[in-house]
Amino acid sequence: MITCSAPGKIYFSGEHAVVYGEKAIAAAIDLRTRVTVQPSGDFIINSSLGSTGLDDRKHPYVTQCVRKIKDFIPTGVKIDITSDLPVGSGLGSSAAVTIATLYALSICFDTNHTLSDIADLGYEIERTLQGVASPTDTFVSTMGGVITVPDRQTLTLPKCHIVVGNTGSFSSTRELVASVNSLKQAYPDTIDPVISAIGKLADYGSGLIIDLNYPALGRLMNINHGLLDALGVGSNELSHLTWASREAGAWGAKTTGAGGGGCMVAITDQPEKVARAIKSAGGQAFITHVTPYGVKAE
Ligand code: MEV
């Protein structure tokens, strides 16, 4: 039996634009998904979503992981999943479960996959299930730390606090990526510059993370929030939690992940105050930090 865990992630900047090749800054956070695997006579997957066999509807990501390495599995495998990450909330829960499962299966069945192979397989799975996807979530969940994509530069770990606010409404990355794409098709002259403006924030942001200049990084996050709204992936609740965080003194706050619902992220030196403001505004708050640890055996 082996247990592996992989982290969720936030974006300091660049979600959605990264799908079109623009630069983004993403960071692994200390909220993790744990996956225990053990050889078995059958295929069994247990999670908060229920207990199933291989099941493309209830456990699509884990089912795809098993299919990817089925040749190494003699008879079957039992997989138990627990997670700190709310599902469909923009924190990379699907990447975390995919990467933790692939890594645990690779150790349990001695497949000789490297970390880079695991990240690549995870990306293939996300692309298959989401239609269009960037490698960001799966790469960051595998490697940990703060990483710029697509150039894969590792940045210094920020020393500021991170507060995540969950609106509690589920969002589908697949649908939101498709809706940005149709806006882009309908109004290219307006939407293409918005996407490229989001990409430029990562160039400014990387320098500010290296210089530990969090107030300026926060200003860029505020700009990014507005640009995500322009792409149509904001929501009343996300903006409500974002503004509550800023008014409580956060340096910056923005939607993180696909948007539409799900989570926002704030950076601050007053995490308790910002978390209280998010709760008073109706959200669920998590005080967390960036973690250098990607996927690992527990
Ligand atoms: C989802 O966490 C981030 C998106 O940019 C999609 C992707 O990069 O695959 C919306």
Side-chain angles (χ1 to χ4, degrees):
M1 183 197 299
I2 171 106
T3 300
C4 293
S5 73
K9 61 99 215 357
I10 53 108
Y11 278 87
F12 287 110
S13 72
E15 52 274 268
H16 285 289
V18 74
V19 171
Y20 299 97
E22 293 292 343
K23 193 160 157 181
I25 310 174
I29 52 170
D30 207 17
L31 296 171
R32 304 184 73 87
T33 295
R34 286 169 196 79
V35 176
T36 302
V37 307
Q38 53 191 307
S40 161
D42 211 342
F43 290 93
I44 304 162
I45 307 171
N46 293 317
S47 76
S48 61
L49 301 175
S51 182
T52 69
L54 294 182
D55 184 330
D56 288 306
R57 288 211 316 197
K58 210 164 233 178
H59 291 122
Y61 290 91
V62 176
T63 298
Q64 286 288 332
C65 293
V66 172
R67 294 218 172 98
K68 287 273 175 212
I69 64 152
K70 210 159 175 201
D71 291 348
F72 295 90
I73 306 175
T75 52
V77 61
K78 179 167 178 285
I79 302 177
D80 292 289
I81 302 154
T82 58
S83 188
D84 306 328
L85 294 160
V87 174
S89 64
L91 296 181
S93 60
S94 52
V97 76
T98 302
I99 296 302
T101 304
L102 287 170
Y103 196 54
L105 289 171
S106 77
I107 295 173
C108 187
F109 296 102
D110 225 358
T111 67
N112 275 327
H113 284 96
T114 62
L115 278 188
S116 169
D117 297 332
I118 299 284
D120 289 347
L121 282 178
Y123 174 42
E124 274 174 37
I125 292 172
E126 283 225 319
R127 226 178 27 208
T128 306
L129 293 175
Q130 282 176 25
V132 186
S134 75
T136 320
D137 294 18
T138 39
F139 188 76
V140 170
S141 189
T142 308
M143 304 301 178
V146 188
I147 296 174
T148 60
V149 178
D151 55 348
R152 300 189 174 184
Q153 187 195 353
T154 300
L155 303 177
T156 11
L157 283 198
K159 294 188 177 36
C160 56
H161 294 277
I162 289 183
V163 186
V164 170
N166 186 6
T167 60
S169 36
F170 176 83
S171 69
S172 157
T173 301
R174 187 188 178 96
E175 283 167 24
L176 287 151
V177 168
S179 84
V180 171
N181 191 42
S182 59
L183 206 61
K184 185 171 162 14
Q185 302 295 328
Y187 309 108
D189 291 347
T190 300
I191 298 301
D192 289 352
V194 173
I195 287 173
S196 109
I198 291 176
K200 299 230 166 27
L201 292 175
D203 286 328
Y204 298 123
S206 323
L208 296 172
I209 289 175
I210 292 164
D211 294 346
L212 316 181
N213 188 345
Y214 305 122
L217 181 65
R219 275 200 298 277
L220 294 188
M221 290 169 70
N222 293 341
I223 294 170
N224 198 160
H225 181 79
L227 294 172
L228 286 169
D229 272 352
L231 293 183
V233 297
S235 78
N236 188 1
E237 290 85 354
L238 280 167
S239 281
H240 193 47
L241 302 189
T242 296
W243 275 101
S245 306
R246 292 176 192 161
E247 278 163 9
W251 287 310
K254 63 181 273 295
T255 294
T256 189
C263 290
M264 46 69 62
V265 60
I267 59 169
T268 180
D269 57 352
Q270 305 174 78
E272 304 291 347
K273 193 170 172 211
V274 171
R276 270 199 306 278
I278 288 173
K279 283 185 204 152
S280 312
Q284 184 188 16
F286 305 89
I287 298 175
T288 183
H289 54 270
V290 173
T291 176
Y293 303 111
V295 68
K296 61 181 171 108
E298 294 276 296

